[in-house]
Amino acid sequence: MKKRFYITTPIYYPSAKLHIGHAYCTTLTDVFARSKRERGFECYFLTGADEHGLKIEKNAEAKGVTPQAFVDEIVEGFYKLWDLLKITNDDFIRTTQERHVKVVQDVFTKMYNKGDIYLGKYEGWYCRYCEAFWTDTQAGKDHICPDCGREVQRAEEEAYFFKTSKYVDSLLKFYEDNPKFLIPESRKNEMINTFIKPGLEDLCVSRTSFSWGIPVKENPKHVVYVWLDALTNYISALGYNSDNPELFKKYWEDEDTEIIHILGADITRFHAIYWPMFLESLGIRKPDREFVHGLLMMRESKMSKSKGNVVDPYPLVERFGVDAVRYYLAREVNFGSDGSFSPEQFVERINSDLANSFGNLLNRTVSMINKYFEGVIPEYKGQITEFDGNLESVINATISNYEKAMDDLKITEAITYVNELVNRANKYIDETTPWALAKDENKKEALASVMNHLAYSIYVASRLYHPVLVTASDKAFDQLGIDEKEREYINITNKNILDNHKVNKGEPLFPRLDPNIEVPFISELMGENK
Ligand code: ME8
């Protein structure tokens, strides 16, 4: 395994407020970054905002403000949301920042001087209203603008193109040599069969129909196509081609770094086809992994602003807390598959996994240690009851399965292992019947072993949940009475870590949610009660 990681989310468009889909991607990326750091690896985590393009120019115009003022306000909301969700990104790149603009212009010039970008003519279907060009497929046989529904006209304009044809063969070879580059595997077949095999046209990488973009240095009536602009963020943020290239050297050039992009299925083509080509043109290394997650639906339908069914994560976190929302996002929809959001499932998930299983295990254990051992966790003395051995092997297996799943970005699966451990520990209480052991003085040693094993199970579960339950895990550690140093991941296999610690009974970690109150609350956020 490589010794450090560079991990990125897409940079989102500040054309409107972020919704639960964006929170999903950023939260899961954060879970991965935190889990790596907690295990002692260096991990540099980047997110940001993709601020150029026609749509933003138009939205700003409609609001009567400059595009920069428009994005400034929306990006403020990005910062607030990531703060609220306790996202631990190391940097936040905005494509309007000088450090980025300069790199994009230089990249364009480099590619142009190399002969990979050339000036040609763009022909297509033009929508006068949206000032946008559409391809034959996009305009369809009725020649209608896919955005506004108005009729489009055949038109042409001068534009720069990137020579994709030059890089197709090496891209296919790259896929073949690096079977782990694009995950899930099905995405690679989709790229090859849907886009590459039918023949890739050279990519138009400049526009003259609007001005909110990065001007091409050599010919400023053109602005750089938003995707060439946006993808470059992954290297401009590290100081590529700048006076301060230290981060670029460490997190991109050094082969000991694993470079991972996380993205949604809607933007796979740009990341998996064009981005490796651009990098090859620049003569720099390609990412090691691109992990494509599925898109969330709102119940059965696509999220859409016109339907008003887009959930704003902000009030959700304010009401249910950061842990509940992070947990729901990480657990409910298998990272890599499509899924859907529903208020009923949200409430059910929090109640069953967090309130009933994890919260209850902690609550019961701390109460029993208080009752039977005056609040002091008995020492670990090996396998005493007939059930101890099995619980210990479940704990060991949980740790290794969890680490393997996390390394493969199977985040949902990783959490499921921890849930299984929690369920196993709850069942261990039923098997060992501590209330019966407590009645028999000869069973004191067995009772002590049960309490230690339970406390250790909670310790391990809290440690493994920590990248998701960023506050509740610490509260569980507090209740077990262990200090900062003892919380470190390195102690996870130390069965004596809890010996003689004094427990502190606290508030329940996750109070049960009343579905009759909370489901309507969330439905309201989805615009369902209108
Ligand atoms: O595409 N479910 O930005 P964007 C899950 N600026 N995730 C979703 C989602 C949904 N329903 N909707 C959006 C752009 N996402 C470009 C990216 S990167 C160099 C440039 C997430 O604001 C998902 O990760 O449209 C998706 O790929 C991304 O937001 C698109 O965000």
Side-chain angles (χ1 to χ4, degrees), residues 4-45:
R4 70 175 90 79
F5 298 85
Y6 175 45
I7 188 157
T8 65
T9 69
I11 48 170
Y12 308 113
Y13 291 125
S15 47
K17 269 165 82 178
L18 295 177
H19 57 62
I20 195 92
H22 303 111
Y24 175 62
C25 179
T26 303
T27 301
L28 276 97
T29 308
D30 184 61
V31 169
F32 180 83
R34 282 175 178 264
S35 85
K36 284 292 175 196
R37 294 192 199 113
E38 287 176 9
R39 281 164 61 196
F41 297 95
E42 279 182 289
C43 184
Y44 197 82
F45 170 14

Side-chain angles (χ1 to χ4, degrees), residues 11-13 19 21-22 50 234 264 266-267 293 295-296 303:
I11 48 170
Y12 308 113
Y13 291 125
H19 57 62
H22 303 111
D50 184 2
Y234 299 132
D266 51 335
I267 56 176
H293 68 79
L295 297 182
L296 297 186
M303 275 189 232

Side-chain angles (χ1 to χ4, degrees), residues 236-264:
S236 66
L238 295 180
Y240 167 72
N241 214 26
S242 76
D243 299 339
N244 191 2
E246 290 319 306
L247 285 172
F248 184 72
K249 280 192 189 139
K250 180 170 174 184
Y251 286 104
W252 199 283
E253 289 189 307
D254 189 335
E255 290 285 340
D256 270 339
T257 299
E258 181 171 355
I259 305 168
I260 307 175
H261 297 314
I262 309 285
L263 50 129

